[in-house]
Amino acid sequence: MGQEIHAAAYQDADFQRFRQRLSTETELLARLIKNRACSEAEPVAGFEIEAWLLDDNMRPAPLNQAFLESFAHPMAGPELAKFNIELNTPPVPLTGDAFSRMHADLQNTWSQAEQHARQMDLNLLTIGILPTLQQSDLHLGNMSDMNRYRALNQQILRCRGKPIVLDICGHEHLKVEHHDVMLEAATTSFQLHIQTPLSIAHHIYNASIIASAAMVALDANAPFLFGKDLWAETRIPLFEQAIATGGYAGAADGPLHRVSFGSDFARQSILECFVENQQHFPILLPEYFDDAPEAFQHLRLHNGTIWRWNRPLVGFDTDGTPHIRIEHRTPAAGPTVLDMITNAAFYYGLVKNLADERQAGGAELSFAQAKDNFYQAARHGLDSHVVWYGEHKLRLAVLIEQELLLRAAKGLQALGICIADRDGYLDLIRRRLANQQTGSDWQRRFIKENPRDFVELMRVYLRRQRSGEPVAAWGI
């Protein structure tokens, strides 16, 4: 959801004052990193899930305020649209039976939220893009009542100076014009966090970038938008275009964009991302905070308006020591709680293995190639062809099966994950590959047999989701 703010409109003086505080806090973070004064605590895992509230006709129900007020759960909050909510669970140390614990925590929270939704004659659903969503649902009347969202809409449209044009070529072609930021609300994700020791934070960040192609393909769950069959993971181009404010000069490979794969690896330090934020991204929300610079309120708010698919974050340990987290934003939400925890296990294991190898001087895939792999995977899913080490091109599903699963297993072992968690969850990835069925694959197969019946697609999807069976086992 991001930080809430108090103002909904700003003056020139607000931007100047914020710019000064952002500079001060960026310089302070640089000193802390140089002096190794940020946390070196062992890795901790967490996540955020964005979900939909639907009526019994499988249409978005803009009732998140009433739902959240009556649900009153500390791990539930609003999202951009009134028909979306966010769910979290407490972070856990990334060792032992971490995934079983995450699974139990999430299933418990999800079951409570789902039961509460049914008491309100609503349905709770998790998916990358809702196939029954219509463009007419995405208007400011359906925006959650928060200053942050109103101000973001105002500032992004001010920067653009023209309507948003969504233009996506996939299996079909979609081109529409929109006049506010509500297109972003169509994208719902499962965002993974890893708190990392400062000394390896840039290796974890770079490893997350390399892992993104496999993750976006394995987790694909968003092929349809406004009745069109587009990419395996249509969230990627949709989010990038929905928040586009124009490019900014300065990146070696061209203009920087607020939603992007990023401009490069972090070469020496994770600080490079925050310096890039300060130097190359105009301020959108110049909210002023009275907190001391050590709270990093301005740096964190500014960072929250730059949506790299892999995004470094600044937080704090329980004793107040600043720490670095990497937020991996590529996975779609859903299809089930089990599938999402499976995706998390694969991600954390693969990233640990790649980070260790990069720290030892290996895993030398270029940033440009990692970026190309990512967009190929988002567009074509497991059928995409990517370039891996050795400069040869191969089918992504084959790469995952023959190499990346082994890397993930080694990474989980290195983290101290118990054998039952390691083998149990990674076996579900193998099953997904064997059955060639991600969430997107299943949705497309259903629509092939039931042309354009998106309402029935969602009814069956919801039943399958409630069954708890992994998507690899779903029948049509």
Side-chain angles (χ1 to χ4, degrees):
M1 179 184 73
Q3 292 168 267
E4 176 58 316
I5 58 176
H6 296 98
Y10 300 100
Q11 306 299 319
D12 289 345
D14 298 317
F15 287 90
Q16 181 60 33
R17 183 166 59 172
F18 188 98
R19 192 172 294 110
Q20 292 171 349
R21 287 298 303 266
L22 177 61
S23 177
T24 297
E25 292 173 17
T26 304
E27 291 171 4
L28 174 60
L29 182 62
R31 290 198 300 274
L32 292 177
I33 289 176
K34 180 180 180 181
N35 295 330
R36 300 180 181 178
C38 294
S39 176
E40 288 288 344
E42 291 301 303
V44 175
F47 51 77
E48 306 166 34
I49 298 173
E50 297 162 348
W52 296 79
L53 293 172
L54 305 180
D55 61 25
D56 284 337
N57 294 318
M58 300 293 102
R59 296 276 295 122
L63 296 169
N64 68 357
Q65 183 173 348
F67 174 88
L68 292 168
E69 287 176 356
S70 57
F71 186 40
H73 194 289
M75 291 293 180
E79 269 296 331
L80 172 60
K82 291 179 179 178
F83 40 72
N84 295 138
I85 64 167
E86 178 183 291
L87 296 176
N88 301 272
T89 63
V92 299
L94 196 49
T95 191
D97 62 348
F99 298 106
S100 293
R101 293 168 59 195
M102 292 166 70
H103 193 167
D105 287 344
L106 177 56
Q107 188 63 64
N108 182 52
T109 301
W110 182 263
S111 296
Q112 290 179 44
E114 190 175 49
Q115 182 179 8
H116 189 76
R118 293 309 297 144
Q119 291 171 356
M120 296 179 64
D121 295 322
L122 298 172
N123 301 287
L124 189 65
L125 182 131
T126 180
I127 195 170
I129 294 175
L130 183 69
T132 55
L133 181 73
Q134 298 174 9
Q135 189 180 359
S136 57
D137 296 318
L138 300 172
H139 58 81
L140 295 181
N142 277 339
M143 177 182 283
S144 291
D145 187 22
M146 294 181 65
N147 287 334
R148 174 186 176 86
Y149 297 136
R150 287 191 290 269
L152 270 175
N153 180 69
Q154 180 185 72
Q155 293 299 319
I156 287 172
L157 295 184
R158 179 186 64 83
C159 289
R160 286 184 59 84
K162 57 184 178 181
I164 295 163
V165 176
L166 187 66
D167 191 351
I168 305 174
C169 289
H171 286 194
E172 298 179 273
H173 182 207
L174 174 69
K175 187 172 183 179
V176 297
E177 188 175 282
H178 205 79
H179 294 268
D180 53 57
V181 299
M182 286 294 287
L183 283 172
E184 180 200 339
T187 70
T188 39
S189 59
F190 175 54
Q191 298 164 14
L192 293 163
H193 289 233
I194 178 169
Q195 180 185 327
T196 172
L198 173 64
S199 57
I200 61 169
H202 62 301
H203 294 303
I204 296 290
Y205 175 71
N206 296 339
S208 295
I209 287 172
I210 294 171
S212 293
M215 287 298 296
V216 80
L218 275 170
D219 309 348
N221 198 24
F224 299 114
L225 176 63
F226 304 152
K228 299 285 189 177
D229 184 351
L230 301 170
W231 290 20
E233 192 46 55
T234 305
R235 285 173 45 255
I236 304 304
L238 172 55
F239 193 17
E240 290 189 353
Q241 295 181 33
I243 307 295
T245 56
Y248 309 103
D253 60 345
L256 298 179
H257 298 274
R258 297 201 91 95
V259 185
S260 76
F261 196 64
S263 61
D264 201 351
F265 291 130
R267 297 295 175 177
Q268 302 296 328
S269 165
I270 200 65
L271 177 68
E272 295 160 25
C273 295
F274 296 100
V275 171
E276 183 178 86
N277 289 355
Q278 179 201 359
Q279 293 180 350
H280 297 296
F281 288 94
I283 295 159
L284 286 184
L285 300 178
E287 182 84 0
Y288 183 76
F289 300 94
D290 288 328
D291 308 63
E294 287 77 9
F296 295 111
Q297 288 277 39
H298 302 82
L299 180 145
R300 294 163 70 194
L301 178 58
H302 186 54
N303 188 51
T305 66
I306 301 159
W307 297 271
R308 296 178 184 87
W309 292 113
N310 295 280
R311 178 167 65 175
L313 305 172
V314 174
F316 298 92
D317 289 351
T318 54
D319 65 0
T321 302
H323 69 233
I324 300 295
R325 299 196 311 278
I326 305 302
E327 180 186 48
H328 183 65
R329 304 173 56 83
T330 69
T336 66
V337 168
L338 176 56
D339 285 308
M340 289 185 284
I341 299 300
T342 296
N343 298 338
F346 179 77
Y347 166 76
Y348 289 120
L350 179 58
V351 164
K352 168 62 175 173
N353 177 265
L354 290 170
D356 286 351
E357 190 170 317
R358 286 188 68 86
Q359 190 175 9
E364 288 297 328
L365 188 71
S366 72
F367 177 82
Q369 191 58 64
K371 180 177 180 180
D372 184 65
N373 287 349
F374 172 72
Y375 288 104
Q376 290 295 323
R379 185 162 190 165
H380 301 294
L382 293 173
D383 287 330
S384 63
H385 285 76
V386 300
V387 173
W388 196 238
Y389 308 121
E391 300 300 318
H392 60 285
K393 184 171 284 192
L394 70 165
R395 187 168 173 264
L396 182 53
V398 173
L399 173 65
I400 295 170
E401 182 178 18
Q402 294 184 354
E403 181 176 339
L404 300 190
L405 273 165
L406 179 60
R407 284 181 174 273
K410 288 180 177 178
L412 293 177
Q413 183 177 5
L415 287 165
I417 298 297
C418 66
I419 293 174
D421 273 18
R422 182 193 69 195
D423 293 349
Y425 289 108
L426 292 186
D427 279 348
L428 291 175
I429 296 288
R430 294 185 180 93
R431 190 176 178 187
R432 204 180 295 173
L433 293 170
N435 293 350
Q436 300 179 58
Q437 186 156 285
T438 63
S440 283
D441 293 326
W442 183 85
Q443 289 187 55
R444 282 171 163 165
R445 286 169 182 159
F446 187 96
I447 290 300
K448 185 176 181 180
E449 294 194 14
N450 304 272
R452 304 203 60 77
D453 196 346
F454 294 109
V455 172
E456 186 62 19
L457 168 67
M458 283 296 90
R459 292 192 193 282
V460 177
Y461 182 103
L462 183 60
R463 288 200 297 270
R464 298 283 189 272
Q465 186 171 93
R466 286 173 174 168
S467 77
E469 278 196 311
V471 70
W474 288 12
I476 301 303

